[in-house]
Amino acid sequence: MKVDLGDLSAFVAVARAGGFRDAARLSNSSASGLSDAVRRLETRLGVRLLNRTTRSVVPTEAGRSLLARLDPVLSEVDSALDVINGFRDTPTGTLRLNVPVSAARLVLPDIVPRFLAAYPEIRLEIIAEESFVDVLAAGCDAGIRYEERLELDMVAVPIGPRIQRFAAAASASYLDKHGRPQHPGDLLGHACMRGRFASGTVVQWEFERDGETVRIEPSGQLLVQIGGAVDLAVEAAVRGLGVVYLFEDWLRPYIERGALEPVLEPWWPRFPGPYLYYPGRRLVPAPLRAFVDFIRNDAGPGA
């Protein structure tokens, strides 16, 4: 029985993504084209492979069996084609990165323009989110995470500044009215802009000085989700609503122009910078290999 390889690839893409729209976005194709391909495959095989509803697309038992056999085969095909890509003078293809919002804002702006200028035939897609995802299941080639969040069995490459700090700040008008904290414990009497991860965990504030570590659970009127809503917390602090706790590099522009004033700066804790990570169990695609080499060379010897 002859079956088109493109139709098989379309089925795998939809089954992995859990829907035609997500699969189309990840594969740079159209949802209607993927739907037609899957329908042709089902007609040729004489069996339904996907159960479709208005809310979800789920493989049938036959679909799951086919997917289990196709996954490794198509991965080998991708690897074989990528070997050919290595013979090009300039790598080509799409590189998809899953990164936290902080990395998209603080780390990548210095790297991405120079990388794309060096590799004009590479397309770069950045998915910024705070949830901890399986980068492969999400259709990405690699991710950026901080050390304590790295997944097992991954290759990790340092990217961006190697030492960062968390910082606390508030507007001068707020501090003039409510006082300037001298110890982290004083923050328990202040209005604080709290943050919560997508998992529901509310962030503790941590401070360090001379070997002493203090962790507090602040209180305040405003609670924002870590990631997309953080700028709202910063703006609220600028307008005098309380104290904000965030990456120093995120707050530094506001501090330098006088919109915010550092709070408890001698207590600001240091932590290691982020890592680019990717699976070490398969051939590295040419666009990712180019990106890894670029950031290694960018960091200099000993990175």
Side-chain angles (χ1 to χ4, degrees), residues 71-86 281-286 289:
D71 255 334
V73 173
L74 292 180
S75 293
E76 285 300 315
V77 172
D78 289 340
S79 296
L81 293 175
D82 198 67
V83 168
I84 302 302
N85 196 19
R281 303 184 302 277
R282 63 172 188 163
L283 185 68
V284 178
R289 185 166 59 248

Side-chain angles (χ1 to χ4, degrees), residues 99-115:
V99 309
V101 173
S102 57
R105 181 177 182 125
L106 305 177
V107 175
L108 292 180
D110 180 55
I111 296 173
V112 166
R114 293 183 291 112
F115 172 72

Side-chain angles (χ1 to χ4, degrees), residues 16-17 22 25-26 96-101 125-146 148-154 197-199 225 275-279 281:
R16 284 175 177 171
D22 287 340
R25 177 179 58 82
L26 293 172
R96 296 184 180 89
L97 301 179
N98 185 283
V99 309
V101 173
E125 181 178 347
I126 304 295
I127 296 93
E129 58 185 354
E130 295 300 323
S131 57
F132 307 144
V133 301
D134 181 331
V135 291
L136 293 182
C140 296
D141 301 293
I144 294 178
R145 289 292 181 268
Y146 288 85
E148 68 274 14
R149 302 178 187 174
L150 290 180
E151 299 178 16
L152 299 177
D153 302 323
M154 291 285 177
F197 288 109
S199 64
Q225 182 166 315
Y275 290 81
L276 175 80
Y277 73 101
Y278 56 92
R281 303 184 302 277

Side-chain angles (χ1 to χ4, degrees), residues 2 7 22 45 54 63 86 95 107 114 122-123 142 155 183 193 197 200 206 228 242 250-251 266 268 281 283 286 300:
K2 290 185 178 181
D7 293 348
D22 287 340
L45 296 178
T54 56
L95 172 61
V107 175
R114 293 183 291 112
I122 290 179
R123 298 181 301 277
V155 177
H183 185 275
M193 311 300 159
F197 288 109
E206 182 175 303
W250 201 314
L251 297 180
W268 291 358
R281 303 184 302 277
L283 185 68

Side-chain angles (χ1 to χ4, degrees), residues 258-300:
L260 292 175
E261 179 181 316
V263 172
L264 297 168
E265 187 167 1
W267 287 87
W268 291 358
R270 297 174 178 267
F271 59 95
Y275 290 81
L276 175 80
Y277 73 101
Y278 56 92
R281 303 184 302 277
R282 63 172 188 163
L283 185 68
V284 178
L288 175 56
R289 185 166 59 248
F291 189 69
V292 170
D293 291 342
F294 184 86
I295 63 173
R296 280 177 169 160
N297 293 334
D298 200 49

Side-chain angles (χ1 to χ4, degrees), residues 10-293:
F11 161 69
V12 171
V14 174
R16 284 175 177 171
F20 289 95
R21 288 185 179 179
D22 287 340
R25 177 179 58 82
L26 293 172
S27 60
N28 291 322
S29 54
S30 69
S32 61
L34 291 175
S35 179
D36 290 342
V38 172
R39 190 177 298 109
R40 281 196 304 269
L41 181 61
E42 289 177 327
T43 300
R44 179 62 62 90
L45 296 178
V47 63
R48 177 178 288 276
L49 299 174
L50 298 173
N51 286 322
R52 308 160 176 83
T53 70
T54 56
R55 294 187 177 183
S56 65
V57 175
V58 180
T60 63
E61 183 177 356
R64 290 193 299 271
S65 297
L66 181 61
L67 181 64
R69 299 296 294 272
L70 284 178
D71 255 334
V73 173
L74 292 180
S75 293
E76 285 300 315
V77 172
D78 289 340
S79 296
L81 293 175
D82 198 67
V83 168
I84 302 302
N85 196 19
F87 286 92
R88 300 175 184 270
D89 293 333
T90 302
T92 185
T94 298
L95 172 61
R96 296 184 180 89
L97 301 179
N98 185 283
V99 309
V101 173
S102 57
R105 181 177 182 125
L106 305 177
V107 175
L108 292 180
D110 180 55
I111 296 173
V112 166
R114 293 183 291 112
F115 172 72
L116 293 180
Y119 296 95
E121 295 188 33
I122 290 179
R123 298 181 301 277
L124 181 61
E125 181 178 347
I126 304 295
I127 296 93
E129 58 185 354
E130 295 300 323
S131 57
F132 307 144
V133 301
D134 181 331
V135 291
L136 293 182
C140 296
D141 301 293
I144 294 178
R145 289 292 181 268
Y146 288 85
E147 188 171 11
E148 68 274 14
R149 302 178 187 174
L150 290 180
E151 299 178 16
L152 299 177
D153 302 323
M154 291 285 177
V155 177
V157 181
I159 183 171
R162 299 323 308 143
I163 298 296
Q164 299 183 0
R165 292 196 300 177
F166 281 116
S171 69
S173 61
Y174 173 86
L175 296 173
D176 289 342
K177 183 177 181 179
H178 298 279
R180 288 166 172 78
Q182 301 302 308
H183 185 275
D186 296 341
L187 290 172
L188 295 175
H190 283 264
C192 298
M193 311 300 159
R194 297 176 297 156
R196 180 170 59 193
F197 288 109
S199 64
T201 302
V202 177
V203 179
Q204 285 188 328
W205 291 12
E206 182 175 303
F207 298 89
E208 297 175 354
R209 185 178 186 182
D210 299 331
E212 179 185 0
T213 299
V214 179
R215 296 182 180 86
I216 66 169
E217 295 185 0
S219 61
Q221 287 181 283
L222 183 61
L223 175 65
V224 301
Q225 182 166 315
I226 299 297
V230 168
D231 280 327
L232 176 60
V234 176
E235 184 61 30
V238 168
R239 298 195 180 201
L241 269 69
V243 183
V244 64
Y245 179 87
L246 198 56
F247 290 90
E248 178 186 3
D249 290 343
W250 201 314
L251 297 180
R252 180 57 59 186
Y254 297 90
I255 293 173
E256 290 178 349
R257 69 172 182 255
L260 292 175
E261 179 181 316
V263 172
L264 297 168
E265 187 167 1
W267 287 87
W268 291 358
R270 297 174 178 267
F271 59 95
Y275 290 81
L276 175 80
Y277 73 101
Y278 56 92
R281 303 184 302 277
R282 63 172 188 163
L283 185 68
V284 178
L288 175 56
R289 185 166 59 248
F291 189 69
V292 170
D293 291 342

